[in-house]
Each structure stands twice: as structure tokens, then as C-alpha cells.
Amino acid sequence: MLLLVVVIGCKSEQELSHRDLRLNSFQIGDYDKGTAIYDGVKHEYLLELPEEYEGAPLIVMLPGYGDSAEKMKAQTALDEDACVLGYAVVYVNGAPNPNDSTSSMGWNSGVGESGNKDVEFLCALVNDLCITYSFDPNRVYAVGFSNGAFMTHRLALEANDIFSAVVSVSGMMPASIWDERTPDNKVSIFQITGGQDDVIPQNSNGSSEFSKDPAIEDVMDFYIDSNSVDLADNRKIGINGDLKIFDSPDSNNQVWNLYIPDGVHSWPDERYTGINVNELILEFLGTQSGLTIVYKEEKPAISTPTPTPTPMEVVSLGNYEGQPIEWMVIDETDDKMLMISSEAICTMAYSEERVDITWEECDLRQWLNGEFYDTAFSSEEKSRIQSTDVGADFNPYYDTDPGNDTVDKVFLLSVVEAEQFFDTDNARICNYNDEPCWWWLRSPGYGQHRASMVCIDGTIGKSYGYFVDSTFQGVRPVMWVSK
């Protein structure tokens, strides 16, 4: 049975405050799935309720670009922890940009020049949910990941009369929102940033130099100043996480800043960070809602995975910077072997500049088949290294043009080959200088300005890929060598 609510306003949108905004219509269906329409744009949502929801605080969950409410619920499961404490949680789908027929579901966070009226929509959704379920309208919070986290920064500056606290996981503040900030903006915020997240501009890794958007460090300094808070606690959590907590004796405002040096553009995974992010988020929100939870690390932090010996044959051939190079045999025929270096021989950018580029054109290919090949092997060893037809393999997760096939002496694996020749994630874990590292693949990411990689835990980097000018990824040369 559906509950259908239709709201038709008499005033123009310009005359309405955020508290007055209402949806054009919304439906609540079975299993708490619903639809909401605002300004002609349809959104779907999932609502999870606590046992007693009258007067409950509300958490609005905003997925990343191209993701859905269902996917965010499955990946984060924040509602499973939050509803027990007394929160209501709603996961909300974004919508395609009306000015771009090719776009996926997302949020008008201020990155583009125009788009849907998502600030107004989210305010209207909150208002109608609070009226329908008697949630507490003064305890409403937004939690977002990636593009959804970008949106939380916009809500923090433009709708803090509705959202009194926000949580940004792998989020940045778009330049258009930053430029309109006011020095007295007051909203509590929890920012979670990975040091290896190349989507978020950072002073610490130099990526802010290439971005029109502000460095996340500058954004957090703004929140600290505008909320008039001071450092109250500095915790070392998980494997190497650094959490700084700022508060004030004169207000309830809080600014939390979690930095995970090895973190990437993802919702942090406790298996590799040693951090239960859901508990931390709920501890932060508890400072605003009064539903307290204290974060505890109930078990020792999980150490970073280390490579496990495999049954692959290992041979020595050539040397790099005075050290012999060991190779694993990952395939063979009657007369030749396909070999990959057992460890990364160095770290290097795929391309010296952040441009659209393919394996055929990239600087890393030129170096492998030029300087590296020329200096790492003797004449006898070079005679055994075969010229190989290297396919311009598509990344199976994106439609990015991979360019042309090449003929190489030395190359990198593609995404397909990395999955083909290593049957487990653990087998793909690679060291550089005795520490696990990411390593490049030749396939493109979701655009030609990114290249794919294998992550530190051995998983294939299917999400986005890394900017081609990133320099921390390891290089594992691959060659066909005669027996």
C-alpha cells in the first residue's frame, strides 16, 4: 500500500525559506523504498527507521557519482549501527544533470556551472520526512561519499539552517562554493581524507597545484576559524590514522579531521585501515544529537598485508641500479616465458604531465623500452627478450579508448591480464623497498588522463584509476623471454 503526498505551493521559490520548501510529491512504498519529485526531477530513496522514530534525529546519506542509494547502503551499512542508537537514516539517489544527457546519477555540488536544484530538493525532502514521521527538524545531518561528499560541503555553506552537521568522506569543496563562503559560517563538520586520494586537492601531496578547487587543508582551516574552535584532542587511530578534534567551550560546534596517509578515494575499509569509520561518524554525530557512542578499537589494528610466496618460478635476469632483478614466470610456451618483476623496480609517473594519453604515447612506455631496456640488460640478455605484440586492451569497467596496439620489448600488464595471471588478490600484492605498494597497469581508467593500477591490498583498481602524473605507483616490467 502506498502513501502518496502531493504538495503544491502558492509562493514562488524565491519567497520560501529552506524550512518552507516542500516536494512536489513523494511516495512511500513497500520495504521503505520511496520516490520524491522536486522541480520535475525524480529521486528514489531508502528509509531505515529506529524502533521509536518520533522525535528521532535524521541522517541523510548521499552516494558518489554514478552510485545508488542501494549500493551505498550495502557498502557502508551505516543504518545498521545508527538505527540501534535511535537515528533514522535515508539513503537518497542523485539525478542526471539536465544539461548533459550522458551523465549518470549525481549531485549538483557546485563543480559544474549548472544543474539540478539539489540544495532545495534535499531541504524539501528533509522537511517532508520530518512532517510525515515526526523526526526532529533541529537534528538533521548529511553524510556523503565522493560527489555526495562534495555536496555536503555545499549544504554546510548554503543550507546550515537545515543541516547542522555534515560528514564528508573523500570530499572536497568546489571552487564555486568556496568563493562564496562567509567568515561567520557555522556548521559542525567531520572530514575524512586519504593521503593517496588524487581526487581531493591537497597541499600535503602537491595535488592542489593542479586544481582550481581549494586544498582540503585550507578548507578545514576555514571551518576551524568560522566555527571559532580550538584543538581539543589529537588521536592516533587504526594503523596510521591521525584524527584531530576541534571544539569550543562556548558552543556545540565541532570540527573533526581524519587523515589516513595510505587512504585512497574510497570509503575506508577497516580491514586495511584498522578504523571502524561508522563508529567514528556516529561518535561525531553524537556530539550534535546527544545519542552518544564512544569509539573503541576492540581488536588490534590489522597490519598492512604482505606478499605471500607463490608457487611461480622465479628467475634472475638483468640488474637495476646495481641490484639484480628477480622475475616471476606467469606464463610460458615450449620456447619462451612471460615474466614480471617480483617487486616494483621503482616508482614513476605514467606520464610526466596530466594530459589525455594512452599506453602507446606515455612516458613510462618510452622509458621501459628505452633507458631501462638499454641499461638493465647485457647483450646476451637482450637477445633473449622478445619483441611482443601488445594489445590495446580496454578496461572492462569503462569504455575509455585505450589507443592503438604496440610492439614492445618491455610492457605492463593490462587489467584483464592482471586478473588472468594472478588468481587471487593476495598474489598481486607487491613490494617496493620492502613496503607494499600500488603498481601501474597499462589500461586506462575512466578517462585517458587516468591509468589503472593494482592497489596496495592486491585488488584491481577498478574505480577511476589514478591521474597519469601520479608518482607513487610502482613499476613492474613485463617481458617475453626465450628459454
Side-chain angles (χ1 to χ4, degrees), residues 345 359 364-370 372-373 410-412 475 477:
I345 61 169
W359 166 249
L364 183 51
R365 173 177 176 251
Q366 307 307 318
W367 179 80
L368 286 171
N369 289 277
F372 172 71
Y373 174 79
V410 190
F411 53 99
L412 302 179
V475 178

Side-chain angles (χ1 to χ4, degrees), residues 3 30 39 114 135 165-167 169 176 192-193 228 275 286 302 316 334 336 352 370 375 377 381-382 387 410 470 476:
L3 168 64
D30 295 334
D39 194 40
S114 61
F135 299 146
V166 301
V167 180
V169 181
S176 63
I192 300 175
T193 305
S228 301
I275 301 171
I302 302 169
S316 180
D334 290 340
K336 61 182 180 179
E352 292 182 0
T375 60
F377 305 104
E381 290 169 333
K382 289 177 182 176
S387 292
V410 190
S470 301
R476 297 186 75 179

Side-chain angles (χ1 to χ4, degrees), residues 94-338:
N97 186 329
N99 302 307
D100 182 359
S101 60
T102 67
S103 68
S104 296
M105 291 188 298
W107 300 104
N108 180 12
S109 63
V111 171
E113 294 182 359
S114 61
N116 296 313
K117 297 177 180 179
D118 285 333
V119 172
E120 293 83 356
F121 158 66
L122 290 168
C123 292
L125 176 66
V126 166
N127 292 335
D128 279 318
L129 288 175
C130 287
I131 290 171
T132 303
Y133 291 93
S134 299
F135 299 146
D136 185 347
N138 296 312
R139 293 190 295 169
V140 177
Y141 317 113
V143 177
F145 167 67
S146 190
N147 170 239
F150 303 174
M151 190 66 197
T152 64
H153 283 283
R154 183 168 195 174
L155 294 173
L157 268 64
E158 296 184 4
N160 55 31
D161 52 339
I162 298 291
F163 297 91
S164 58
V166 301
V167 180
S168 162
V169 181
S170 296
M172 68 173 184
M173 183 182 290
S176 63
I177 309 303
W178 173 256
D179 292 342
E180 299 299 321
R181 70 192 186 280
T182 58
D184 58 348
N185 182 82
K186 295 188 182 301
V187 62
S188 293
I189 183 169
F190 183 8
Q191 171 72 32
I192 300 175
T193 305
Q196 308 302 330
D197 186 342
D198 63 354
V199 176
I200 309 307
Q202 301 180 52
N203 291 329
S204 58
N205 62 19
S207 59
S208 59
E209 297 179 18
F210 306 98
S211 176
K212 66 178 182 180
D213 303 303
I216 195 62
E217 294 93 339
D218 296 336
V219 171
M220 297 313 293
D221 285 344
F222 158 70
Y223 282 120
I224 291 167
D225 291 341
S226 65
N227 282 285
S228 301
V229 291
D230 297 307
L231 183 64
D233 193 8
N234 190 357
R235 305 183 198 170
K236 301 300 180 182
I237 61 174
I239 294 172
N240 57 1
D242 181 29
L243 174 64
K244 290 183 170 64
I245 297 176
F246 300 81
D247 65 16
S248 169
D250 302 322
S251 72
N252 196 40
N253 295 76
Q254 301 243 338
V255 175
W256 288 29
N257 192 7
L258 173 60
Y259 177 73
I260 305 173
D262 293 331
V264 294
H265 194 72
S266 66
W267 191 275
D269 190 326
E270 186 177 8
R271 293 174 298 172
Y272 309 118
T273 64
I275 301 171
N276 186 320
V277 170
N278 284 5
E279 283 194 6
L280 269 185
I281 289 173
L282 292 172
E283 182 184 351
F284 164 74
L285 292 179
T287 66
Q288 309 299 299
S289 69
L291 303 180
T292 58
I293 179 174
V294 178
Y295 176 82
K296 294 181 180 179
E297 291 182 4
E298 297 181 353
K299 54 184 179 296
I302 302 169
S303 60
T304 304
T306 55
T308 298
T310 72
M312 296 177 183
E313 179 185 356
V314 176
V315 299
S316 180
L317 189 76
N319 70 81
Y320 180 71
E321 294 187 340
Q323 297 297 319
I325 306 173
E326 291 192 341
W327 306 80
M328 296 191 302
V329 179
I330 55 177
D331 196 16
E332 60 183 319
T333 65
D334 290 340
D335 59 354
K336 61 182 180 179
M337 305 175 292
L338 181 64

Side-chain angles (χ1 to χ4, degrees), residues 312 330-331 338 413 416-423 427 480:
M312 296 177 183
I330 55 177
D331 196 16
L338 181 64
L413 294 181
V416 171
E417 291 165 346
E419 293 178 332
Q420 172 187 353
F421 294 123
F422 296 92
D423 55 5
W480 277 103

